[in-house]
Structures are given as C-alpha cells and as structure tokens.
Amino acid sequence: MADRLRAGIIGAGFIGGVHAHAVRAAGGEVTRVVASTPDRSAAAAARLGAYAGAPSGEALIDADDVDVVHVCTPNSTHVALARRALAAGKPVVCEKPLATTLDGARELAAAAGGLVATVPFVYRFYPAAREIRARVAAGEAGPLHLLHGAYLQDWQAGGAPAGWRGDASEGGAHRAFADVGVHWCDLVEFTSGHRITRLLAATAGGGTASTVQFETDGGATGSVVVSQTALGRRNALRISLDGERAAYRFDQEDPEAVRIGDTDGDRMLHRGSPASSAAAARYSLLPPGHPQGYQDCFNAFVADTYAAVHGDAPAGLPTFADGLRAAALTDAVIRSSQSSTWVEVPS
C-alpha cells in the first residue's frame, strides 16, 4: 500500500467534509467521493477536493485508486458498505453508530479480523481527555466512586426537522442516545478505565432525550442525561470522574483545560502546562493559547488510523470493537426503557 493513502469518502454532508479535511491533514489524498446522485457526487468532489465522483458507494469501494474507505452515510447503510470494504481487504473508517442493531455491529466487528477498522469516537483525542486518563491510570484520584455528566444539544428543539435521523428505519431506535449518548459513554469508559455493567434508562420525546443510571465493574455508580432538545445547548458534552482523592471534570465546549478538584480546592490544568502528562502532550499540536477543537481531534483520529494502516499501534485508537461496545450499550438502553427495569450490559 502506498505511503500516501488514497481515501474514498461515501457520504458528502457535514461529516464527509470533516473526514476530507482530516484525510489531508494526515497526509492522505481524497481520490473519490459519493453523494446521493451522480450530479451531487461531481459537485461534492469539487467541494471536498476529491479527484472525481463515483457512481455508487459500491463502485467507490471497488475502485483501484481507493486504499481506505470512509463510510459517512445514513446509519442503516453502514453494515453493507463496511462489510463490502472489509471483504475487499480495505481498511475502513465508519461513522457511528456502527450499525442500527447489536447483531449488525457484531457482524462488522467479526468481519474486521486483522484489518484496520475504526470508529470516530474523536473526543478521546482532546489532550484534556488523555490527561484525565493518564492521571486516573496513575492512581492519583484513588478509587473512582461516581461518574456523571451529560451530553446536551438543541438541534431537535421546537420540532426542528431531523432528516433521515428521525426515521427509525434509517437512523435506528433511540436516536439521541445512539447518536451522542454513546460518545459520552465511550469517553467516560476510556478515561476512567471502568466498564458499565448494568443500567436503568428512561427515554422521552420520541427518542430525543434519555436519562441513564448505571453501575460499573470498578465499583462506581453514575448517571448521564442525553438530549437533543435542550434549548441553548449546542454540543455540551460534560463528564466528571469523582474519586477518593481527586475529581476530574471536562467540558467539550471549553476543552482547553481539565478541572481538578482535591482536598486543597479546585484548580485548572491548561493544555500545554509543564505539569501535563506525556499522553496529553502527544495530542497538543498548537502552542498554548491557540485553541484546539473538534476538527483537530478528528485530524488526530484519522492520523492515528492511517498510522495503524502503516503498521503502528497508536494507544487508544477506537476500533470496530468499540463500535460494538456502543451498540451493546444502546441495546441495553432500549431494553431498559421498554421494560422500566435494570438490565445487564453484554461485555
């Protein structure tokens, strides 16, 4: 495979553009792109800087000038497209949710085999998230006993159109949790080292809002509120990991610092501080005072994915196994919401 990886992007909406920027930032090139029609594919190729459009997702996957396939289409199409790319022996970057059903996610995780197959849980790539993870792993917080927070958006408030996400046959069930709640769970499990083992969920607003209580394998309890109808909240992903000796807080809308609480009071550890861990410093790409954001995280995620394609093993790279984990959590939330009981989360 060539050093300069050639990417094909299936799906040319907002997230397709984010992928295209990240491909180039990682040293790759976008050779082909597919939108909903041939005319839109040609227009998207010009807009995203691709060499050409392709007549279909299947044709893009089969193209000789595509080394890596990026799947950025409606959720219901992920399994068929990712499965075809894996069968062709090509690495895959597939948007979450990996599938609209737990069985579909299991199929893709099994099909990945030894190929590089990743899912953009990109909030892992904030230096602040890596800092929290490093400090928890070093035991600085002591045993964690409470994990809590929220992921709140408002784009569905006031009956705003949801597009394909509002159609359960295309977007899947319990769309707010499947869309953004899994990001919260992934970030909390990644930073804490805990796994959610059982949960109690309630869902309202036709799937646009959920509250989830949970227990972990590390002896902690926790809760998260997820909503896409919370007025005034654009993309408010917030976590708090509370331990015996310290608590760590992170806010995605103000991501340049970790808030640390301990017995001496509260303080902020800013990105680029001399006290930062090596794990955080690896992803601190700009001088302090020059804010890094979502696109920077996505760039780092794709760069690590491409490094894995070339044989490296970057720590914390989210794979199809993590996509399967997210599907298992979503399935548990659905089952709990329907039964109004605590349910076990498959390991």
Side-chain angles (χ1 to χ4, degrees):
M1 189 171 290
D3 289 341
R4 186 173 173 82
L5 292 175
R6 300 167 298 177
I9 299 176
I10 309 175
F14 156 73
I15 202 64
V18 171
H19 280 250
H21 283 294
V23 167
R24 285 189 286 272
E29 54 189 338
V30 182
T31 51
R32 293 182 182 268
V33 65
V34 171
S36 56
T37 68
D39 286 346
R40 289 182 176 177
S41 294
R47 176 168 50 86
L48 300 184
Y51 295 161
S56 67
E58 292 77 12
L60 180 147
I61 291 167
D62 297 341
D64 291 337
D65 60 355
V66 170
D67 301 316
V68 182
V69 177
H70 291 244
V71 179
C72 308
T73 52
N75 303 341
S76 62
T77 66
H78 290 178
V79 171
L81 292 169
R83 181 175 56 214
R84 186 183 184 103
L86 292 169
K90 296 186 177 183
V92 180
V93 180
C94 183
E95 275 296 325
K96 54 91 204 99
L98 194 55
T100 57
T101 66
L102 181 55
D103 285 344
R106 284 177 175 145
E107 177 188 346
L108 287 185
L115 290 170
V116 174
T118 62
V119 179
F121 287 120
V122 297
Y123 299 114
R124 296 182 178 197
F125 292 85
Y126 277 113
R130 298 292 172 137
E131 186 66 41
I132 294 172
R133 175 179 165 89
R135 287 174 178 261
V136 170
E140 294 183 16
L144 298 176
H145 57 263
L146 184 64
L147 314 175
H148 57 103
Y151 199 153
L152 306 174
Q153 299 177 326
D154 67 357
W155 70 277
Q156 279 289 273
W164 59 261
R165 288 180 175 83
D167 183 344
S169 66
E170 289 195 76
H174 285 56
R175 62 182 184 269
F177 187 86
D179 188 23
V180 297
V182 294
H183 270 301
W184 190 93
C185 293
D186 178 80
L187 186 61
V188 165
E189 290 194 337
F190 179 71
T191 53
S192 70
H194 288 220
R195 301 268 282 187
I196 296 169
T197 54
R198 60 193 300 261
L199 59 80
L200 174 66
T203 297
T208 62
S210 295
T211 58
V212 183
Q213 295 177 259
F214 58 83
E215 298 174 353
T216 77
D217 60 357
T221 61
S223 66
V224 60
V225 178
V226 179
S227 177
Q228 292 178 322
T229 56
L231 286 165
R233 309 293 185 139
R234 300 295 185 260
N235 198 51
L237 187 164
R238 297 166 182 171
I239 67 170
S240 184
L241 277 55
D242 297 0
E244 185 178 88
R245 293 189 293 274
Y248 305 116
R249 300 187 298 277
F250 171 72
D251 179 351
Q252 194 279 151
E253 291 184 324
D254 186 16
E256 288 287 274
V258 178
R259 280 75 173 171
I260 301 175
D262 56 30
T263 55
D264 294 326
D266 296 333
R267 57 194 169 93
M268 296 179 67
L269 181 69
H270 290 275
R271 182 178 62 79
S273 165
S276 296
S277 67
R282 180 175 184 271
Y283 293 96
S284 184
L285 306 176
L286 298 175
H290 298 74
Q292 290 183 202
Y294 175 79
Q295 184 69 60
D296 297 290
C297 289
F298 221 104
N299 294 354
F301 158 70
V302 172
D304 276 8
T305 296
Y306 285 12
V309 172
H310 288 304
D312 292 341
L317 183 64
T319 68
F320 274 22
D322 298 296
L324 173 57
R325 173 66 179 165
L329 286 163
T330 301
D331 181 73
V333 166
I334 292 171
R335 289 186 287 114
S336 178
S337 295
Q338 291 173 342
S339 65
S340 298
T341 60
W342 284 85
V343 301
E344 303 293 319
V345 180
S347 58

